[in-house]
Amino acid sequence: MRCRLIKPLDIKSFTAIDTDKHRFTPLFDALKLYESQKVTSFDVPGHKRGLDEQSELYYYGSSVLRHDVNSMPQLDNYDNPKGVIKEAQALLADLYLADEAHFLVNGTTEGIQTMIFSICKPGDKLILPRNVHKSVLNAMALADVTPIYVSPEFDIKFGIAHNLSYDHVKAAIDNHPDARAIFIMNPTYFGAVSDLKAITELAHQHDMPVLVDEAHGAHFRFSPHLPISSMEAGADMAATSLHKTGGSFTQSSALLVRGDLIDKRKVKSVINMLTSTSASYLLMSSLDIARKNLALNGPRKFEQLMPVIQTFKQAVNAIPGFHMLDGKAFKELYQQQLDESKLTIYIDSTIDLSGFEVYRLLRSDYNIQMELAEPNLIMGIVSIADNEEVLNRLLNALQSISKLHHQADREVHSPVLKQLAIPEQAMSLREVLYADKRAINIEEALGEICAESLMIYPPGIPIVMAGECISQEIVDYWQFINNQPIIKIGTENSNQVYIIEKRGQ
């Protein structure tokens, strides 16, 4: 696969990184110093920094065990950082252009919970996409927040949901000027990016803070050829999964905060409420290390990687039966930008395999692990750790699969999926959380209140959310998709649905 630079669709202004400032890892350096002192441990954790060399924990390496430590003056305290944790978080904030950054050891789920708990009071309205992550729904249920759902743009060909349009967000604000905040993804799981800067400016005109699920956008900061990051767009808070595309350990994330619309003391108070008092130093130090690597090497590596990705996509589009999201067409159709580091590969019906079968085949026959599979899709994620050799392995595998499984005379058709009208909200998410529930057949559920969200993948947009009324349209559509090779999320029996059990039933 020969690499040639393709002019990107969008080039954002790039704020330079002060690399001299980021050559240090305060927390990681303190851990290494502590390890070198060979301290006799009468504190936790119970493996005593790997004292028992016969333990199978040694499989992970003695350095891992020696760095798995507890809070102490030399290593600072997560609940009230004043030393090396505070220094490391300040460097992370500087890198991402935030006022503050907080290490998270329970993933971006914790960051999403913190954003909603910090901003919203019981009964407050939150404007958000219909296709949000389940952690958002759980946080709203716990905080007793009223969702104002906005339908995302829907891709008929690929059968997936993308992001929110500016016009739809504006309509939601106009219809609900009393909403407390806007919640948005940057990007979606499949890499769709709204005009976040324009949406943020609009929200701020109405004194509404913008909360961002940036789980899949930790890399945006490091290339002018990638979409704008949340802090660059002026958002107020963002939960950013550095473990997904930034190189830190799984479950490590960060909460970024900026601006005057956020009570920063309350944010820290909520974080302390949600986080273990034994925050993992392995996870936190991996954030410190990832931050340094991104600052020193991120821009250079992405400059090398982006044209390789573009060439890979062109090559995949030339393979019979496989198609990739095209950034130019994507922008024309949806007025949204595409994160080119997401490899969303559509498998048309001339390939006699489903997305699930291609996913399994890549793993079993080609030793390639993709991020996910859907009936008509596979998707992979590229990070700065990848290179041309790695992408060539996937390209060669797809070419091989096409040779074996492409049938030119098969009819090409798109998924028969659609968006439904958003149903009436009859109960709050919190009321549903504590209500009694029972399962009934879907054909008997007309007019009942759904007790659990029903959705299909793709597109990942709920057909009906918990607390919403089940209409005839929903009954008909759920029965229709039961006959389709589609993942259905709801009850174990796909012909049933959980409903709120009313008194006397």
Side-chain angles (χ1 to χ4, degrees):
M1 184 171 65
R2 296 184 63 186
C3 170
R4 65 185 180 88
L5 182 62
I6 298 174
K7 185 178 179 181
L9 294 173
D10 297 274
I11 300 180
K12 67 186 180 189
S13 59
F14 184 74
T15 304
I17 297 168
D18 184 352
T19 54
D20 288 339
K21 181 187 296 185
H22 288 278
R23 296 184 186 280
F24 306 98
T25 47
L27 181 55
F28 181 52
D29 291 345
L31 279 171
K32 290 189 291 183
L33 176 60
Y34 180 76
E35 176 191 359
S36 71
Q37 294 170 344
K38 303 187 186 319
V39 175
T40 299
S41 171
F42 284 95
D43 63 346
V44 295
H47 61 66
K48 301 291 183 170
R49 324 293 194 264
L51 197 61
D52 179 7
E53 296 186 10
Q54 302 306 311
S55 169
E56 287 185 303
L57 285 173
Y58 255 80
Y59 174 84
Y60 295 107
S62 59
S63 291
V64 169
L65 295 173
R66 291 197 296 269
H67 283 199
D68 185 24
V69 299
N70 195 31
S71 295
M72 60 191 72
Q74 182 179 349
L75 296 177
D76 207 357
N77 183 284
Y78 180 81
D79 285 353
N80 186 26
K82 296 181 178 178
V84 291
I85 294 176
K86 182 178 180 180
E87 292 176 34
Q89 291 184 149
L91 285 170
L92 187 63
D94 177 84
L95 180 63
Y96 278 97
L97 308 175
D99 295 341
E100 293 181 357
H102 300 276
F103 290 163
L104 302 176
V105 296
N106 194 31
T108 290
T109 292
E110 181 187 354
I112 286 169
Q113 292 172 340
T114 299
M115 290 192 293
I116 291 174
F117 293 164
S118 297
I119 289 294
C120 297
K121 297 177 182 177
D124 278 351
K125 294 178 181 179
L126 180 66
I127 296 171
L128 71 162
R130 186 77 174 168
N131 56 330
V132 290
H133 188 265
K134 66 178 183 179
S135 60
V136 184
L137 305 177
N138 294 337
M140 288 193 296
L142 292 171
D144 196 15
V145 170
T146 300
I148 304 299
Y149 297 118
V150 180
S151 294
E153 298 298 303
F154 183 70
D155 191 321
I156 296 297
K157 177 181 178 181
F158 279 68
I160 57 177
H162 294 312
N163 221 317
L164 300 184
S165 72
Y166 174 90
D167 290 341
H168 286 170
V169 174
K170 185 178 185 304
I173 292 175
D174 290 342
N175 291 330
H176 300 276
D178 57 337
R180 180 66 184 90
I182 308 288
F183 186 98
I184 196 164
M185 295 179 288
N186 190 54
T188 64
Y189 201 4
F190 292 99
V193 176
S194 297
D195 190 344
L196 182 57
K197 187 172 183 179
I199 289 172
T200 299
E201 290 172 352
L202 174 66
H204 287 172
Q205 290 170 13
H206 293 79
D207 295 324
M208 295 180 187
V210 176
L211 318 179
V212 182
D213 175 355
E214 202 165 51
H216 288 272
H219 55 299
F220 285 0
R221 166 75 174 96
F222 304 100
S223 173
H225 308 318
L226 289 168
I228 194 169
S229 69
S230 57
M231 296 293 102
E232 290 174 296
D236 302 277
M237 283 199 283
T240 302
S241 293
L242 273 83
H243 72 88
K244 284 186 169 67
T245 56
S248 62
F249 285 159
T250 295
Q251 202 172 307
S252 62
S253 185
L255 181 64
L256 308 173
V257 186
R258 58 163 288 160
D260 299 327
L261 294 178
I262 305 299
D263 183 342
K264 298 182 176 65
R265 287 181 296 180
K266 186 173 183 180
V267 169
K268 182 57 183 172
S269 176
V270 172
I271 289 174
N272 286 344
M273 179 178 70
L274 297 174
T275 305
S276 168
T277 53
S278 301
S280 168
Y281 275 81
L282 289 172
L283 296 183
M284 290 191 290
S285 63
S286 78
L287 288 166
D288 200 20
I289 293 167
R291 184 266 314 155
K292 175 184 176 181
N293 183 44
L294 286 167
L296 301 187
N297 302 310
R300 173 180 56 83
K301 288 192 174 182
F302 272 113
E303 190 66 26
Q304 297 168 348
L305 192 58
M306 293 307 293
V308 175
I309 293 171
Q310 292 282 9
T311 305
F312 168 84
K313 291 188 173 185
Q314 284 188 334
V316 170
N317 284 331
I319 302 173
F322 292 105
H323 313 274
M324 302 203 68
L325 283 176
D326 177 77
K328 182 178 180 181
F330 188 84
K331 186 170 185 180
E332 291 174 353
L333 282 170
Y334 307 110
Q335 289 74 56
Q336 296 176 16
Q337 194 174 352
L338 185 66
D339 173 12
E340 298 287 356
S341 70
K342 285 289 181 72
L343 308 180
T344 302
I345 305 172
Y346 177 71
I347 303 152
D348 73 29
S349 52
T350 64
I351 300 288
D352 61 5
L353 300 171
S354 69
F356 303 114
E357 290 168 323
V358 172
Y359 175 92
R360 289 192 292 266
L361 193 60
L362 284 169
R363 182 65 183 88
S364 62
D365 290 19
Y366 301 92
N367 205 26
I368 293 173
Q369 180 63 58
M370 299 300 286
E371 170 70 10
L372 64 77
E374 306 295 0
N376 304 289
L377 299 173
I378 55 173
M379 194 265 278
I381 294 174
V382 178
S383 78
I384 61 171
D386 289 307
N387 53 42
E388 184 175 357
E389 179 186 353
V390 172
L391 284 166
N392 270 333
R393 290 179 205 161
L394 177 57
L395 178 64
N396 293 336
L398 295 174
Q399 290 170 335
S400 175
I401 290 171
S402 178
K403 288 178 182 178
L404 294 171
H405 295 278
H406 178 253
Q407 299 178 16
D409 57 348
R410 295 188 73 185
E411 181 183 356
V412 178
H413 57 81
S414 296
V416 186
L417 302 172
K418 64 177 182 177
Q419 281 184 292
L420 305 180
I422 296 177
E424 174 193 353
Q425 185 87 28
M427 291 179 67
S428 72
L429 292 168
R430 186 173 179 84
E431 288 172 331
V432 173
L433 181 66
Y434 294 106
D436 293 330
K437 308 166 182 69
R438 65 186 177 98
I440 64 172
N441 290 332
I442 186 66
E443 58 266 21
E444 301 169 2
L446 178 63
E448 299 287 353
I449 300 172
C450 196
E452 190 169 4
S453 298
L454 300 181
M455 62 188 74
I456 56 175
Y457 281 86
I461 306 174
I463 295 169
V464 58
M465 288 281 200
E468 293 178 341
C469 292
I470 299 173
S471 65
Q472 187 63 54
E473 182 184 34
I474 291 166
V475 172
D476 293 343
Y477 194 54
W478 192 250
Q479 289 177 319
F480 163 72
I481 65 172
N482 272 330
N483 298 318
Q484 307 300 318
I486 296 171
I487 297 177
K488 294 165 278 288
I489 307 298
T491 58
E492 292 183 9
N493 183 338
S494 61
N495 192 50
Q496 290 189 324
V497 57
Y498 281 112
I499 63 167
I500 300 298
E501 186 160 27
K502 300 171 186 175
R503 291 178 182 177
Q505 284 184 331

